[in-house]
Every structure is written in structure tokens, then in C-alpha cells.
């Protein structure tokens, strides 16, 4: 068959032995669609040759660049090219041979040159094909599905095999000196400390034939990173090329013009142990273009999409994001796969997917997911699935994954964590040792009515398991955890035929954590699982069933037998620890045990086995023993009696059985990303409507208790079961007469009686939610007076009818102050007097800066009224939205801004009181004037401060007020630890007039709680700004430990000059103690969070947690010892009762004084499966209060005493002083109308 040459060919045929200048060949007819370019052929030779070590890739590409680009650009003739070739190639090599021969040198280099000589003239032979196009006439026509490019590549692969067969020694010498199992596997080193490039990595990335700029940038980063953190990264190149060739062979049978239903696609299915996995596989495709596959489109977890910069870069590099765990094929995923299959490319479409779905936390093989396989099948086509096993010595995030496997907090991917890890890597703190990518035989999957994707997934994982490689690192980990000689492990693996990495010294240091050692062993632990199928099937399942052939038990060697014996001994130790702990907890009264509860006390028993073993042993034992898991428990609510609806609507906006407003409150849901997300309902607060995805993880991490959003442990109250009101009809009629004609202001409705007979302590909320009310005494009626005259009539009626009146303000007390006295102590009918309708401003004196106001006004209303007039009283307790002026006086309250405005005793100038002795007030002849100070004996205001409703009803008060400050500013300071924080705030307390209005020191737990409540729904710009700030903070101030650092939030109010001076002092003091000013936003967020954070306690109760705060004043000299001793006491009390989970114990300093501080303690415990949990909590709180008193703290700073702390008043007041107070009460309230018995006026125990 003759060829027609469209350009002169004679020039290159002169050296030919052929006389007629014609080429004879077997070829397809030119009309066939079977052409290819010689440049593509040359590139394929370079790629395959370099991949297998025959030639240096970079040098070969330079030659191609010169031959096919440069020479063509200058339009060289064949004669010119031949002259250049002689000058640049033949002459230098001949000179080298002459010199070597003259001096008698026969080096390996010279032998290589002699071996290369036959190939030196190949460029001359190929040159005509680079400058002309040839068409052949033939009787042969290529089939329609024939693909010349793929045929050409198959020829290159065949030629490479032929060359390797001619010189096996040369091929083997190209292998890395660390080749694993070199007789079985040929592989290529693509990264790590042992890899090198002939020129800069950046230039190498830019010269790669495939990849956009994002991919090249990622490639450059990966090269640098792998060289720092790994010894070497290798890939089983032969197996991978065989898999790719199989895909090409399938594709060669397909018509290139056919639709996606008949096309072939390569699916790379690697194991998933690290976030590095998908980057690694993509990098291999990028670094080895000779494989002939496209850089894979990665089905990445949607976690990456939410990470600033990383998400964008990943998407630009070809990733698409998958939402896991839906149970059905995601339509968006199906659409994306369809678009990838339809994309036009000169090479086969390649997709990378992790069938395990999520990373294995302990290196065990997870059950494969089938959703993506179903999606592939549904979108048609032939799929060549390549099982890949990524063998790590050390996993990059091993410590985090181990903690997660142990049941601790799951760490989310974030740019902050990534930057921190990269910083550690750069400083040499990260060493992963070696990584080897093993490739198994591909699996062909076509859509078929009988296709079983579960079977396909199982087959893929079986091949992944067979492809594991075990190194000396893994062997040592196994030796350590099982307590056997490493040689036993090594020989056992040989007996079972498990591939072993050749030994490399100093590849990576050994692990010290037993959990991490177990994870390293479990890398290959599945090879032993079959031997436990008969005796311990649960443990066999846990290790990962081994579906490939193993050595029969009767044929296994002595080393394998020794290893199995040690492994069985470990399993039995775990089972024994579980049984012992379950029996211990059952003796403590816990019958419905949870896994986390059992695990907690196994740890405390001193068991050294890792949690990942113990968790399996616990779940197996609880299942076998049919011990019902606590997740199935609910607390019964009697729905047959009563209703949670009241008949008085004035204050119906408040919640019943929970803090705050009905339209507000924290709600837990699972968002679209599968995260547990908390949202504040309504729009009253700064955080309202903003999702918070870190709050529940914080709670879970701190307590080691998993929160299930789908199960409510303790629902909000739905029924009320209480005893009937015992008020007589005549008395009820007289009460109605007082408020006539507004008869709705007297009620005996159940919900009103319960609300007015309780406060907001955890006992109150718990018994309301559980409807454990029938044995509790509640007011027999509730009355709402609107002025002082109605109060007078009411008190007179109580004296006449022998009634007991209990004053009620906002009901925010946590001291049981509104509880009715026991019937055996006081059998009289109980009337709750709600003063919140007495909420009017009676007079404002703007010259004297005083305001006279009724005592029933709430703090929120008072603030609003004063702000509208340009004033403030500066008193802002945390309960300000609901608490009343009268309640502030009666409890001797304190506000967060007391540094500037004082406590309530400094703000109140005078009071008016109605008691059974009459109307009480002072300075009747002073024309309503108020005095800053008088010397007229004991004053009424001082007597009523802290009286807690036991002396009379406060009807009104005159208060000091201030103009609204010119400027309000916020600041925050981050310090290393709580001790530095104490020193810092102590120095602030000495600033005198420059002391900021509010200074709060949050310990580490409080600080992290506040951070967890930050919204994740902020603007992109603000989120990036915060991420950048945190990253910069991490890089520049790495001495701050996340588990120790504390925060001081500061509120400044005053003139501009005053605040400038204060800020200067704050910065100076912060610098003195190594602190960093974190700015206005953090400080303001802490201030804004004050009111919203109060909802957390009742939210936590819904999901099984009881929490409460209690405060004290303590002198500076005792603050450290008191805080430490109290926290330790709380921990001890919690542990002594074997309560589930870890307690959350924290504190904050909220008010500063010259001689000491107010300290708030916060205690939270899980109560699932705890008998009578509210009483247990109260016992622990009582123990903590006793400890506070022992350590020199006060019984209360501003919450008051009520009945809750009254039993401890004997340690506060002497018996004689108590008698003085009781006699004072008799004088002021001779008929004991106000027999509520709180604080100093309580019943003597």
C-alpha cells in the first residue's frame, strides 16, 4: 500500500536502505477516523518511560519542547536539523567516549551511553513526521468505535513492557531504595524528603501538562508539604497503570461519538483515613500525567465548602461537595455526576469518591456507603472502579481522630485549625513517616436490573483490605499494645502473607498514646478477625470482617497463635472491666445505664485500655444483658389533670416553667449540613434567629455526653397537678372587693398559683416540668394591687382574716423566697401579692437628679422610661428584663455596673412601706426632698434592704439618677490564665474614679461557652475578618493555650476624655500581665450575651442537664483558695455519687471592690438515669456553699437568702442577733401578716 507524502520526503530517505524512497506499512485508510499526532505519541513515550524510570521526565520534556516547538517555530529543514543534531549530540558523546577510552575508564555512565547510542538517531527518523501530515491509502477501514489515541497509547505500553523485559536489572535500579516488597510491586516515589526535582518545584508545577492554576497551586503546596511532613510518598504504579489500561480497553470498544450511557468512566475509590487522602490521589494524577487519566473530580464532604478560602480553592481544583447521610440519592449530586460525564475531554473522565463516607477514627474499615454507587449506576455508563488503599504510618490528624474515637468532641475542619497545623508542620513537629498508595485490580460496574451495589461496595472494600501494607511502625504499635515481642508480630504477618514494608530506620518516631497505638495496630487488625468468628463474634465484627482467604486455624503458625492469644486476653480484660463497673453502678442505684456512664467509671477505676475498645465492650454487654439504653427513657407527664393556661393575661408574654419570654428560647435542630444547630427564637436579642452550631459540641465535649436533638428528655410543662385552693368564699369575695371593678386582678387559677409559688431555681423548673407539684404548697390566691391604697386595704384585711401575704415582684428569685411556708409551720391561707401593676413614675426631679417610682416597675420598663427622658439609674442586674424595683430592694441586689453607679443601697434614697403596723416612711416635713446623707438614727431604707418580703410591702422608692453617658464603649482583654486575670482585675479595682463601669473576668470554660454561642450566620466579610484575626492571633501569640486562656469583658461609660484615660490604663495593665486587647466586638458580644445566656439552663434541662449559678463575696486574700477549694468540692461531690458524664464547673468574677470581689459559680450535671436528680443537685450545691463559707466567702452577695440558704444562716448571724431581728419584725409586723419566713426571719432549724 502506498503512502502519499504532502511534503518533500527525499531528504530523510537518503540514509535509508530502501531504494525506492517509499514506505511500506499496514495502515487504516485515510478516510477512517483513526489519526493521531506524532507529538502526542512522543509525549506518551516520555510519560510512560519516565514513570517507569527509563528516562528523566524533565530532560525528555525539554527535548520535546526544543524539537516540536522551537525548531518548528524557526522552520528548520531536515539537513539543518541533522547538522544541529550532530553538533549537539553525536560530537559531544564521541568526545566523551574518546576521553574515557584514552584513560581506560569503563564506568557505569559510559556503559549507559553505549546502551543509549542506538536510540540517538530516533529524533532524525521522527523529524519528518513533525513537519508534515501523512495520509495512507488502504483497503482497511477502521471500525467506527476505533480510537487511534488509545490504540497509540496501548502501543506505547507494549513497547515499555518489551524494553523492561530486555533489561530487568535496569528497570529494578530505577526503583526507590525503599521499595516495599520490590519483587511484587513496582512503584514510583512522588513526594517526601527522599524525592527531588531537577529544578524548582514551582516551575515543575507550571510545566505539568494538565491542571488549571488552582490545581497547579495546590500541587505546589502539596509538594512542599509532603517534603516537610513525610519521608516518602510512593504509588503502586504498575497496578494503577493496569487499572487505567483496563478502562482504556473498555473504552476502545465504545464508539467515541456515543452518548454517556455507553461511555467508560474511571472511579477511584480510596480508603478514607485523613483529609489528606483526596489531595494525595489528585496530586498523583497531577504528578504522573503518563497514567493517561484526568485529574479526578473529587466527591468531597461538604465540610470543605464551608471553610473560607479552602472551600473555594478545593472547588476550583475540581471538587464537588456531597451531603452525607441522606439515605437517598441527592438530586444535586445526580445532576453533578451527569454533567461530569457529559463533559468533553480527550481522556477518560475520572471521579474520586470515598465509599466509607467519613474518615475512620481508629483506622478500622467502616461499612461502605452505597449512595454514590447507586448514583453512578443511575446515570448510566460503564464504570471501572479502582480500589485504592492509602497506607499511612502516621495519620496527620491522628490525635484528633483518636479523641473522637474515644467519644470526645468532634473537631470541625476550619481555616484556623489548618493554619495552626501547618505552622506545627513548618516547625518540624509533624512527621508522618511513609505513605504508600496500593492499587487493587479494578472492578467493572455497569447499570443492570440485577446490579447489587452493596455487593459491589463489599467487593471494593475487600480488595482495599487485601492491599494494605504493614511497616515496622505498625508492627511496633501492635507489639506495644499486646505486650508481645515485635518479632512475633513480624513473623505472624509473614505467616498470613501480609505485605510488609521494607525496614527504614528513623522513618517516624513511635507513638506514646495507647489509643493512637491501637489505631496504628488496627490498620491491619482485620487480618485476624476471622479467628474470632466462632468464639467472640462481636469482637470479630468490631475488627472488621475479613472476606479474603486466611490461613486455617489448624495450619497457622506459632507466632500467629501467640498474637491471637494476646489479643483475646485484651478483649477479655475489656469485657471484665465492663461487668465490674456495671455491677458497681447498679449498687449505686443506677438501673438504666448508658454507655457513656459506664465508660466514665471504667476510666475512673484506673483501667488503661483505650476507650475505643471499651465502648464496644460496653455496647455488646448492654445489648446481651438487655439493659435498656438510657436514650429510650422518657419522664412521664400526667396529662389528665390541669392545664397550663392562666386567666390573667397581663403578663402572658412570659414563659411558664422556663426563663424568659414565650416568643424566645433556644431551639435545637439538625441543619442541612447534618450539624446540631441551636437557634434563639424571636427577635428580642442580638443572637435571635442566628444559628449557633458550636454550642452543643461544646456541651458534649465538656460533659462527654452526646446530645440527641430528636429526643427530648424533659419536655416543657404541659399539665399541672396541685391541691385545690383552700381560700374561703367570703375571703375571696373580700379580695375581689379590693380590686373592684377589675375582678380579673384576683385569681385562683392553677397556673397563676404555681407561678407565684415558685421562682427560677433549678428545683422550681424541674418540679414544674415533671409536674411534681401535688405535694408542694402553693398560694391559695393571687392578687394584683395597682396602688398603695389597695395595698393598705389588703394588709388590713389580712390582719382581720388571719391571712399570710407573700410579696411577689418579677418572680426571678433563685432562693425559694416565694415558696409558701410549710403548713405545719403556718396553717393560714396564703395570698401572693403581685405588685407589677404598681409600675408608674410618680415624680422626676431633674435638678436634684432623683426619681420617685412605684416599686412594682420592672427593670426593663424603668430603663425604657428613663432613656426616653435622657437618664439612667445605672442598675442593671442580669434579671433586669423581669425583676422589679421592690425585688431589688428586698434582696439587696447588685448590678453589673456597680463600679460606676453603685449597688442598690447606694441608688435608693428612700422607701415607702406598708406593713401590719401601718404606713412606714421618713422625713414627712421635708417637702418630698431626698438627702444624700442624714444623721437621724436608723433609717427605714437600711431596714428594708434584704428584708425579702418579711417586714412589709415596699410600695415606692426614690432613686438617684444620672444623665445618659456621652459615650458607651466596650473592650476585652485575653490573658494567659485565671491567675493573670485575677491580678489584672485586682489592679483595675485600684483605679478609683477611672475604674470602668463593668469589669467581668471569665474563666476558661465561661470564655469558651461564650465563643460557642457566636453565630455562624454572619456576613462573609465579617466571618473572614474574624477567621483572619483568629489565625493571626494563633500565629503571633502561640503562647496562649486554648484550654487555659481567659477573657475580661469591660464596659466603659462616661465622657470622651474619661474613657480615653480608662482605655490607656487598661492597655497598660493588659501589657503588664501579658494580655492582648481583643477589641470592642468581643466586649460588646459578652455584654449583649448577658440576657440571652440566661435561657441556656432551661434549654439544657430539655436534653438532660441540670444547671444553676450561685454567687458569693470573697476578700482578695482568700479568692484563689476559695475558688480552687469550691471547684474541687463540686468535682468530689459529683464523683462520690457516680453521676453520669463530667460536670461543668466554672466561675466568673462579676463585681470588683477595694477589698474583694463577687464570684459566680456555675455547676452543670447530666441527670439521665439519676434517681431524684433535682434533690441530688441541691445536695451538691449545699455542699459547695458550705465549702465557700469554710474558705472565707459569704453566703450570698446579691441573690439573697430566702428559704433555700436559710439553714446556713446560723453561720452568718449569732443566735442573739437573730432574736434581735425577730423582735424587730414583731415591732414592724405585729400581726405577722408577712410570714413568708425568709432570710434572717426564717424559722429556726
Amino acid at each position: 500500500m502506498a503512502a502519499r507524502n504532502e511534503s518533500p520526503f527525499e531528504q530523510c530517505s537518503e540514509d535509508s536502505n530502501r531504494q525506492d524512497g517509499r514506505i511500506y506499512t499496514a495502515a487504516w485508510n485515510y478516510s477512517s477516523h483513526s489519526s493521531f499526532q506524532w507529538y502526542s505519541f512522543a509525549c506518551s513515550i516520555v510519560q510512560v518511560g519516565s514513570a517507569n524510570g527509563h528516562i528523566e521526565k524533565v530532560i525528555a520534556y525539554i527535548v520535546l519542547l526544543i524539537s516540536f516547538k522551537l525548531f518548528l517555530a524557526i522552520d528548520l529543514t531536515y539537513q539543518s536539523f541533522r547538522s544541529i543534531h550532530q553538533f549537539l549530540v553525536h560530537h559531544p558523546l564521541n568526545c566523551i567516549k574518546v576521553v574515557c577510552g584514552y584513560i581506560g575508564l569503563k564506568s557505569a555512565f559510559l556503559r549507559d551511553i553505549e546502551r543509549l547510542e542506538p536510540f540517538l538517531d530516533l529524533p532524525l527518523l521522527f523529524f519528518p513526521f513533525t513537519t508534515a501530515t501523512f495520509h495512507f491509502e488502504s483497503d482497511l477501514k477502521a471500525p467506527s468505535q476505533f480510537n487511534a489515541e488509545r490504540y497509540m497509547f496501548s502501543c506505547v505500553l507494549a513497547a515499555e513492557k518489551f524494553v523492561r523485559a530486555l533489561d530487568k536489572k535496569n528497570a529494578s535500579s530505577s526503583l526507590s531504595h525503599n521499595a516495599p516488597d520490590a519483587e511484587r510491586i513496582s512503584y514510583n516515589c512522588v513526594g517526601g524528603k527522599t524525592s527531588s526535582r531537577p529544578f524548582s518545584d514551582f516551575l515543575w508545577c507550571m510545566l505539568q501538562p494538565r491542571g488549571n492554576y488552582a490545581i497547579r497551586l495546590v500541587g505546589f503546596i502539596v509538594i512542599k508539604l509532603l517534603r516537610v511532613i513525610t519521608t516518602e510518598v510512593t504509588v503502586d504504579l504498575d497496578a494503577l497503570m493496569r487499572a487505567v489500561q483496563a478502562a482504556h480497553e473498555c473504552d476502545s470498544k465504545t464508539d467515541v461519538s456515543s452518548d454517556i450511557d455507553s461511555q467508560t468512566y474511571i472511579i477511584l475509590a480510596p480508603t478514607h483515613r485523613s483529609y489528606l487522602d483526596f489531595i494525595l490521589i489528585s496530586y498523583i494524577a497531577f504528578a504522573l500525567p503518563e497514567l493517561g487519566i484526568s485529574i479526578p473530580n473529587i466527591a468531597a464532604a461538604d465540610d470543605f465548602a464551608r471553610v473560607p478560602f479552602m472551600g473555594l480553592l478545593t472547588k476550583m481544583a475540581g471538587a464537588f461537595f456531597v451531603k452525607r447521610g441522606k439515605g437517598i440519592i441527592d438530586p444535586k449530586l445526580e445532576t453533578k455526576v451527569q454533567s461530569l460525564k457529559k463533559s468533553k475531554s480527550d481522556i477518560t473522565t475520572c471521579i474520586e469518591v470515598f465509599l466509607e463516607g467519613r474518615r475512620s477514627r481508629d483506622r478500622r474499615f467502616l461499612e461502605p456507603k452505597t449512595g454514590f454507587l447507586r448514583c453512578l449506576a443511575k446515570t448510566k455508563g460503564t464504570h471501572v472502579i479502582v480500589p485504592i488503599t492509602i497506607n499511612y504510618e502516621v495519620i496527620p490528624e491522628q490525635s484528633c481522630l483518636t479523641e473522637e474515637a474515644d467519644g470526645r468532641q468532634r473537631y470541625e475542619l476550619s481555616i484556623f485549625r489548618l493554619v495552626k497545623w501547618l505552622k506545627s508542620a513548618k516547625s518540624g513537629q509533624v512527621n508522618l513517616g511513609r505513605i504508600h498508595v496500593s492499587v487493587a485490580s479494578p472492578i467493572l460496574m455497569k447499570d443492570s436490573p440485577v446490579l447489587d451495589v452493596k455487593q459491589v461496595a463489599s467487593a471494593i472494600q475487600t480488595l482495599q483490605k487485601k492491599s494494605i501494607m504493614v511497616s515496622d511502625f505498625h508492627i511496633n504499635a501492635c507489639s506495644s499494645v499486646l505486650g508481645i515481642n515485635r518479632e512475633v508480630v513480624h513473623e505472624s504477618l509473614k505467616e498470613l502473607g501480609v505485605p510488609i514494608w521494607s525496614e527504614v530506620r528513623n522513618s517516624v518516631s513511635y507513638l506514646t498514646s495507647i489509643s493512637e497505638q491501637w489505631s496504628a495496630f488496627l490498620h491491619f487488625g482485620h487480618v485476624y478477625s476471622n479467628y474470632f468468628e466462632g468464639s467472640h463474634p462481636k469482637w470479630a465484627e468490631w475488627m472488621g470482617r475479613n472476606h479474603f482467604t486466611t490461613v486455617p486455624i489448624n495450619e497457622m503458625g506459632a507466632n500467629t497463635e501467640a498474637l491471637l492469644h494476646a489479643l483475646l486476653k485484651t478483649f477479655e480484660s475489656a469485657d471484665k472491666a465492663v461487668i465490674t463497673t456495671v455491677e458497681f453502678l447498679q449498687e449505686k442505684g443506677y438501673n438504666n445505664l448508658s454507655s457513656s456512664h459506664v465508660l466514665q467509671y471504667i476510666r475512673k477505676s484506673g483501667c488503661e485500655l483505650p476507650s475505643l475498645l471499651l465502648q464496644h465492650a460496653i455496647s455488646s454487654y448492654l445489648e446481651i444483658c438487655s439493659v435498656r439504653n438510657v436514650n429510650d427513657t422518657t419522664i412521664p407527664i400526667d396529662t389528665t389533670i390541669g392545664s397550663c393556661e392562666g386567666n390573667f393575661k397581663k403578663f402572658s408574654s412570659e414563659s411558664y416553667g422556663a426563663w424568659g419570654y414565650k416568643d424566645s428560647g433556644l431551639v435545637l435542630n439538625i441543619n442541612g449540613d447534618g450539624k446540631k444547630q441551636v437557634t434563639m427564637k424571636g427577635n428580642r436579642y442580638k443572637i435571635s434567629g442566628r444559628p449557633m452550631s458550636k454550642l452543643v459540641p461544646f456541651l458534649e465535649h465538656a460533659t462527654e455526653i452526646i446530645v440527641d436533638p430528636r429526643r427530648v428528655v424533659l419536655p416543657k410543662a404541659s399539665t399541672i397537678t396541685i391541691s385545690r385552693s383552700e381560700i374561703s368564699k367570703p375571703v375571696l369575695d373580700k379580695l375581689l372587693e379590693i380590686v373592684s371593678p377589675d375582678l380579673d386582678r384576683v385569681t385562683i387559677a392553677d397556673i397563676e398559683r404555681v407561678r407565684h409559688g415558685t421562682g427560677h431555681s433549678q428545683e422550681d423548673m424541674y418540679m414544674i416540668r415533671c409536674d411534681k407539684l401535688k405535694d408542694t404548697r402553693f398560694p391559695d390566691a393571687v392578687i394584683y394591687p395597682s396602688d398603695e391604697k389597695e395595698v393598705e386595704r389588703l394588709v388590713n384585711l389580712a390582719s382581720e382574716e388571719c391571712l399570710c401575704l407573700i410579696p411577689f415582684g418579677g418572680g426571678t428569685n433563685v432562693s425559694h423566697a416565694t415558696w409558701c411556708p410549710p403548713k405545719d409551720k403556718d396553717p393560714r391561707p396564703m395570698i401572693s401579692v403581685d405588685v407589677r401593676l404598681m409600675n408608674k413614675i410618680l415624680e422626676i426631679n431633674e435638678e436634684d437628679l432623683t426619681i420617685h417610682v412605684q416599686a412594682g416597675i420592672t427593670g426593663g420598663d424603668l430603663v425604657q422610661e428613663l432613656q426616653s427622658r435622657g437618664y439612667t439609674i445605672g442598675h442593671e442586674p442580669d434579671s433586669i428584663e423581669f425583676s422589679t424595683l421592690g425585688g431589688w430592694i428586698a434582696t439587696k441586689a447588685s448590678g453589673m455596673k456597680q463600679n460606676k453607679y453603685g449597688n442598690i443601697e447606694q441608688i435608693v434614697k428612700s422607701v415607702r412601706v406598708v406593713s401590719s403596723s401601718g404606713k412606714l416612711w421618713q422625713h414627712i416635713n421635708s417637702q418630698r426632698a431626698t438627702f444624700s446623707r442624714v444623721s437621724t438614727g436608723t433609717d427605714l431604707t437600711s431596714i428594708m434592704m434584704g428584708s425579702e418580703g418579711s417586714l412589709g410591702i415596699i410600695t415606692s422608692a426614690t432613686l438617684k439618677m444620672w444623665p445618659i453617658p456621652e459615650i458607651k464603649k466596650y473592650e476585652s482583654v485575653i490573658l494567659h490564665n485565671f491567675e493573670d486575670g485575677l491580678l489584672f482585675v485586682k489592679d483595675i479595682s485600684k483605679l478609683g474614679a477611672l475604674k470602668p463601669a463593668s469589669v467581668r473576668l471569665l474563666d476558661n470554660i465561661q470564655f469558651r461557652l461564650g465563643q460557642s454561642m457566636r453565630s455562624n450566620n454572619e456576613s462573609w466579610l465579617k466571618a473572614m475578618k474574624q477567621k483572619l484575626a483568629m489565625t493571626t492571633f494563633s500565629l503571633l501569640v502561640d503562647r496562649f493555650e486554648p484550654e487555659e486562656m481567659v477573657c475580661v469583658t469591660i464596659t466603659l461609660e462616661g465622657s470622651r476624655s474619661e474613657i480615653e484615660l480608662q482605655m490607656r490604663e487598661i492597655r497598660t495593665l493588659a501589657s503588664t500581665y501579658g494580655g492582648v486587647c481583643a477589641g470592642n466586638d468581643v466586649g460588646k458580644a459578652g455584654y449583649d450575651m448577658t440576657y440571652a445566656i440566661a435561657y441556656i439552663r432551661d434549654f439544657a434541662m430539655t436534653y438532660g442537664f441540670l444547671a444553676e449559678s450561685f454567687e458569693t463575696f470573697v476578700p482578695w486574700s482568700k479568692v484563689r483558695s476559695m475558688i480552687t477549694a469550691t471547684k474541687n468540692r463540686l468535682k468530689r461531690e459529683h464523683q462520690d455519687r457516680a453521676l453520669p458524664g463530667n460536670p461543668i464547673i466554672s466561675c466568673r468574677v462579676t463585681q470588683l471592690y477595694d477589698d474583694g470581689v463577687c464570684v459566680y459559680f456555675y455547676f452543670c450535671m447530666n441527670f439521665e438515669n439519676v434517681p431524684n436528680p433535682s434533690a441530688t443537685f441541691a445536695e451538691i450545691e449545699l455542699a459547695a456553699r458550705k465549702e465557700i463559707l469554710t474558705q472565707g466567702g459569704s453566703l450570698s452577695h446579691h441573690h439573697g437568702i430566702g428559704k433555700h440558704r436559710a439553714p446556713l444562716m446560723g453561720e452568718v448571724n449569732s443566735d442573739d442577733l437573730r432574736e434581735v431581728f425577730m423582735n424587730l419584725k414583731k415591732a414592724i409586723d405585729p400581726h405577722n401578716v408577712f410570714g413568708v419566713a425568709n432570710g434572717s426571719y426564717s424559722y429556726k432549724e
Side-chain angles (χ1 to χ4, degrees), residues 815-992:
S815 61
H816 304 169
T818 51
W819 282 22
C820 294
K823 204 161 189 177
D824 60 342
K825 297 287 187 181
D826 192 339
R828 296 176 296 172
M830 298 284 151
I831 311 296
S832 178
V833 184
D834 192 320
V835 299
R836 284 179 291 177
L837 294 184
M838 300 171 59
N839 58 1
K840 301 174 184 64
I841 294 177
L842 302 176
E843 182 183 6
I844 293 181
N845 187 327
E846 296 192 52
E847 187 171 358
D848 294 343
L849 290 177
T850 59
I851 179 172
H852 185 204
V853 60
Q854 288 181 317
I857 193 168
T858 62
D861 289 343
L862 181 57
V863 168
Q864 188 174 350
E865 290 286 346
L866 285 172
Q867 280 185 344
S868 67
R869 293 169 169 84
Y871 295 101
T872 179
I873 64 167
H875 185 71
E876 294 185 13
D878 292 357
S879 61
I880 190 171
E881 295 172 290
F882 307 102
S883 56
T884 62
L885 171 59
W888 298 344
I889 297 169
T891 56
K892 202 174 183 181
S894 176
M896 67 178 77
K897 297 179 182 177
Q898 72 84 24
N899 292 345
K900 182 175 182 66
Y901 303 103
N903 290 314
I904 195 66
E905 60 268 30
Q906 282 91 43
I907 296 172
V908 176
K909 307 313 255 174
S910 65
V911 296
R912 291 177 64 91
V913 180
V914 174
S915 187
S916 61
S917 60
K919 292 187 292 184
L920 310 179
W921 50 296
Q922 288 180 305
H923 309 298
I924 191 169
N925 294 320
S926 58
Q927 299 179 353
R928 295 184 180 178
T930 57
F931 307 100
S932 292
R933 187 179 186 278
V934 295
S935 181
T936 55
T938 303
D939 65 285
L940 178 61
T941 302
S942 297
I943 292 174
M944 296 309 295
M945 286 288 171
S947 59
E948 300 190 76
S950 296
L951 301 178
I953 295 177
I954 302 167
T955 58
S956 65
T958 301
L959 313 175
K960 181 179 180 181
M961 65 182 186
W962 285 261
I964 290 177
E966 175 188 349
I967 293 176
K968 180 183 287 187
K969 184 177 176 61
Y970 302 93
E971 184 55 275
S972 54
V973 178
I974 308 296
L975 295 132
H976 294 87
N977 50 53
F978 196 71
E979 173 61 23
D980 287 345
L982 283 175
L983 293 172
F984 175 74
V985 297
K986 184 177 182 180
D987 278 0
I988 285 184
S989 72
K990 299 175 182 177
L991 292 178

Side-chain angles (χ1 to χ4, degrees), residues 404-504:
E404 293 178 23
D406 284 347
R408 295 186 176 91
Q409 179 185 18
R410 181 175 178 179
Y411 291 90
E412 293 184 3
L413 181 65
S414 68
I415 193 70
F416 172 71
R417 292 187 183 280
L418 177 63
V419 170
K420 194 170 183 180
W421 183 83
L422 289 174
K423 185 182 177 185
S424 299
K426 185 179 179 181
S427 62
Q429 300 175 34
V430 179
N431 183 7
L432 307 185
R434 293 173 293 173
I435 302 173
H436 179 67
V437 180
S438 302
V439 183
S441 301
I443 294 176
L444 195 66
M445 186 184 80
K446 295 182 178 180
D447 184 30
S448 166
V450 296
L451 177 65
D452 185 346
V453 291
K454 286 188 177 181
Q455 187 176 356
V456 174
S458 178
I460 294 169
Q461 190 167 87
T462 297
L463 291 172
Q464 289 174 335
K465 290 179 178 179
K466 289 179 70 174
S467 300
I468 61 146
M469 295 286 293
V470 180
S471 76
D472 191 61
F473 172 80
H474 303 111
I475 291 172
N476 279 290
C478 177
S479 169
S480 177
V481 296
L482 297 183
I484 57 179
N485 191 287
R486 65 174 306 280
E487 294 301 324
V488 172
V489 183
H490 189 274
E491 293 304 316
S492 171
L493 292 170
K494 281 188 173 181
E495 291 170 3
L496 297 178
V498 178
I500 300 175
W501 250 316
S502 61
E503 185 173 348
V504 177

Side-chain angles (χ1 to χ4, degrees), residues 480-554:
S480 177
V481 296
L482 297 183
I484 57 179
N485 191 287
R486 65 174 306 280
E487 294 301 324
V488 172
V489 183
H490 189 274
E491 293 304 316
S492 171
L493 292 170
K494 281 188 173 181
E495 291 170 3
L496 297 178
V498 178
I500 300 175
W501 250 316
S502 61
E503 185 173 348
V504 177
R505 295 182 180 178
N506 301 321
S507 175
V508 65
S509 58
Y510 297 128
L511 300 169
T512 56
S513 162
I514 187 170
S515 292
E516 292 183 25
Q517 289 174 350
W518 266 98
S519 293
F521 162 53
L522 290 174
H523 169 69
F524 64 93
H526 59 274
V527 302
Y528 296 102
S529 65
N530 285 2
Y531 298 110
F532 294 96
E533 283 283 359
S535 59
H536 296 75
K538 291 288 185 182
W539 283 111
E541 182 180 2
W542 176 78
M543 293 181 73
R545 298 195 184 278
N546 189 356
H547 297 290
F548 51 89
T549 306
T550 55
V551 177
I553 294 178
N554 58 351

